[in-house]
mmCIF file of all heavy atoms in Angstrom:
data_model
loop_
_atom_site.group_PDB
_atom_site.id
_atom_site.type_symbol
_atom_site.label_atom_id
_atom_site.label_comp_id
_atom_site.label_asym_id
_atom_site.label_seq_id
_atom_site.Cartn_x
_atom_site.Cartn_y
_atom_site.Cartn_z
ATOM 1 N N ILE A 318 -13.867 25.661 -13.147
ATOM 2 C CA ILE A 318 -15.222 25.907 -13.646
ATOM 3 C C ILE A 318 -15.135 26.692 -14.949
ATOM 4 O O ILE A 318 -14.348 27.631 -15.081
ATOM 5 C CB ILE A 318 -16.053 26.700 -12.603
ATOM 6 C CG1 ILE A 318 -16.106 25.956 -11.267
ATOM 7 C CG2 ILE A 318 -17.440 27.019 -13.125
ATOM 8 C CD1 ILE A 318 -16.834 24.648 -11.306
ATOM 9 N N ASP A 319 -15.958 26.308 -15.906
ATOM 10 C CA ASP A 319 -16.038 27.031 -17.174
ATOM 11 C C ASP A 319 -16.543 28.449 -16.903
ATOM 12 O O ASP A 319 -17.650 28.617 -16.387
ATOM 13 C CB ASP A 319 -16.986 26.289 -18.118
ATOM 14 C CG ASP A 319 -17.090 26.942 -19.481
ATOM 15 O OD1 ASP A 319 -16.581 28.062 -19.662
ATOM 16 O OD2 ASP A 319 -17.690 26.313 -20.376
ATOM 17 N N PRO A 320 -15.766 29.475 -17.225
ATOM 18 C CA PRO A 320 -16.197 30.851 -16.939
ATOM 19 C C PRO A 320 -17.446 31.252 -17.728
ATOM 20 O O PRO A 320 -18.132 32.198 -17.353
ATOM 21 C CB PRO A 320 -14.987 31.700 -17.335
ATOM 22 C CG PRO A 320 -14.156 30.846 -18.207
ATOM 23 C CD PRO A 320 -14.455 29.424 -17.855
ATOM 24 N N ASN A 321 -17.746 30.519 -18.786
ATOM 25 C CA ASN A 321 -18.937 30.828 -19.591
ATOM 26 C C ASN A 321 -20.191 30.141 -19.064
ATOM 27 O O ASN A 321 -21.293 30.411 -19.549
ATOM 28 C CB ASN A 321 -18.717 30.439 -21.052
ATOM 29 C CG ASN A 321 -17.581 31.239 -21.666
ATOM 30 O OD1 ASN A 321 -17.460 32.436 -21.422
ATOM 31 N ND2 ASN A 321 -16.745 30.564 -22.432
ATOM 32 N N ASP A 322 -20.020 29.238 -18.088
ATOM 33 C CA ASP A 322 -21.178 28.519 -17.523
ATOM 34 C C ASP A 322 -21.831 29.420 -16.471
ATOM 35 O O ASP A 322 -21.294 29.620 -15.388
ATOM 36 C CB ASP A 322 -20.722 27.201 -16.893
ATOM 37 C CG ASP A 322 -21.872 26.337 -16.419
ATOM 38 O OD1 ASP A 322 -23.003 26.858 -16.292
ATOM 39 O OD2 ASP A 322 -21.638 25.152 -16.151
ATOM 40 N N LYS A 323 -22.986 29.955 -16.809
ATOM 41 C CA LYS A 323 -23.685 30.894 -15.923
ATOM 42 C C LYS A 323 -24.801 30.229 -15.124
ATOM 43 O O LYS A 323 -25.614 30.897 -14.510
ATOM 44 C CB LYS A 323 -24.274 32.063 -16.738
ATOM 45 C CG LYS A 323 -23.256 32.817 -17.569
ATOM 46 C CD LYS A 323 -22.190 33.454 -16.703
ATOM 47 C CE LYS A 323 -21.211 34.236 -17.579
ATOM 48 N NZ LYS A 323 -19.962 34.500 -16.970
ATOM 49 N N SER A 324 -24.821 28.883 -15.122
ATOM 50 C CA SER A 324 -25.878 28.188 -14.388
ATOM 51 C C SER A 324 -25.664 28.333 -12.883
ATOM 52 O O SER A 324 -24.585 28.715 -12.416
ATOM 53 C CB SER A 324 -25.908 26.704 -14.776
ATOM 54 O OG SER A 324 -24.706 26.082 -14.383
ATOM 55 N N GLU A 325 -26.709 28.006 -12.121
ATOM 56 C CA GLU A 325 -26.648 28.136 -10.666
ATOM 57 C C GLU A 325 -25.580 27.220 -10.068
ATOM 58 O O GLU A 325 -24.904 27.554 -9.101
ATOM 59 C CB GLU A 325 -28.020 27.819 -10.056
ATOM 60 C CG GLU A 325 -28.071 28.050 -8.572
ATOM 61 C CD GLU A 325 -29.459 27.820 -7.982
ATOM 62 O OE1 GLU A 325 -30.413 27.553 -8.748
ATOM 63 O OE2 GLU A 325 -29.575 27.903 -6.754
ATOM 64 N N PHE A 326 -25.448 26.018 -10.631
ATOM 65 C CA PHE A 326 -24.474 25.038 -10.145
ATOM 66 C C PHE A 326 -23.585 24.606 -11.315
ATOM 67 O O PHE A 326 -23.800 23.549 -11.900
ATOM 68 C CB PHE A 326 -25.182 23.823 -9.534
ATOM 69 C CG PHE A 326 -26.069 24.173 -8.389
ATOM 70 C CD1 PHE A 326 -27.450 24.208 -8.541
ATOM 71 C CD2 PHE A 326 -25.529 24.489 -7.154
ATOM 72 C CE1 PHE A 326 -28.270 24.536 -7.483
ATOM 73 C CE2 PHE A 326 -26.344 24.821 -6.090
ATOM 74 C CZ PHE A 326 -27.723 24.845 -6.247
ATOM 75 N N PRO A 327 -22.596 25.403 -11.666
ATOM 76 C CA PRO A 327 -21.758 25.050 -12.813
ATOM 77 C C PRO A 327 -20.961 23.776 -12.540
ATOM 78 O O PRO A 327 -20.486 23.543 -11.430
ATOM 79 C CB PRO A 327 -20.838 26.254 -12.971
ATOM 80 C CG PRO A 327 -20.884 26.966 -11.676
ATOM 81 C CD PRO A 327 -22.196 26.635 -11.030
ATOM 82 N N ALA A 328 -20.841 22.973 -13.562
ATOM 83 C CA ALA A 328 -20.115 21.707 -13.446
ATOM 84 C C ALA A 328 -18.619 21.954 -13.586
ATOM 85 O O ALA A 328 -18.196 22.763 -14.412
ATOM 86 C CB ALA A 328 -20.590 20.736 -14.508
ATOM 87 N N PRO A 329 -17.836 21.266 -12.769
ATOM 88 C CA PRO A 329 -16.391 21.405 -12.923
ATOM 89 C C PRO A 329 -15.938 20.754 -14.237
ATOM 90 O O PRO A 329 -16.562 19.819 -14.718
ATOM 91 C CB PRO A 329 -15.827 20.662 -11.715
ATOM 92 C CG PRO A 329 -16.891 19.722 -11.313
ATOM 93 C CD PRO A 329 -18.187 20.360 -11.707
ATOM 94 N N ARG A 330 -14.875 21.279 -14.790
ATOM 95 C CA ARG A 330 -14.296 20.684 -16.003
ATOM 96 C C ARG A 330 -13.135 19.803 -15.559
ATOM 97 O O ARG A 330 -12.175 20.279 -14.968
ATOM 98 C CB ARG A 330 -13.810 21.765 -16.957
ATOM 99 C CG ARG A 330 -14.927 22.645 -17.498
ATOM 100 C CD ARG A 330 -14.401 23.699 -18.442
ATOM 101 N NE ARG A 330 -13.387 24.512 -17.759
ATOM 102 C CZ ARG A 330 -12.500 25.271 -18.384
ATOM 103 N NH1 ARG A 330 -12.480 25.346 -19.686
ATOM 104 N NH2 ARG A 330 -11.623 25.986 -17.699
ATOM 105 N N VAL A 331 -13.238 18.535 -15.851
ATOM 106 C CA VAL A 331 -12.168 17.599 -15.513
ATOM 107 C C VAL A 331 -11.826 16.768 -16.735
ATOM 108 O O VAL A 331 -12.672 16.535 -17.597
ATOM 109 C CB VAL A 331 -12.542 16.670 -14.328
ATOM 110 C CG1 VAL A 331 -12.778 17.459 -13.062
ATOM 111 C CG2 VAL A 331 -13.730 15.812 -14.654
ATOM 112 N N THR A 332 -10.592 16.344 -16.783
ATOM 113 C CA THR A 332 -10.135 15.428 -17.818
ATOM 114 C C THR A 332 -9.513 14.241 -17.093
ATOM 115 O O THR A 332 -8.739 14.422 -16.153
ATOM 116 C CB THR A 332 -9.099 16.100 -18.737
ATOM 117 O OG1 THR A 332 -9.697 17.270 -19.309
ATOM 118 C CG2 THR A 332 -8.658 15.164 -19.843
#
Side-chain angles (χ1 to χ4, degrees):
I318 303 295
D319 182 351
N321 297 319
D322 186 344
K323 304 298 182 200
S324 64
E325 185 176 356
F326 301 104
R330 296 180 303 162
V331 297
T332 302

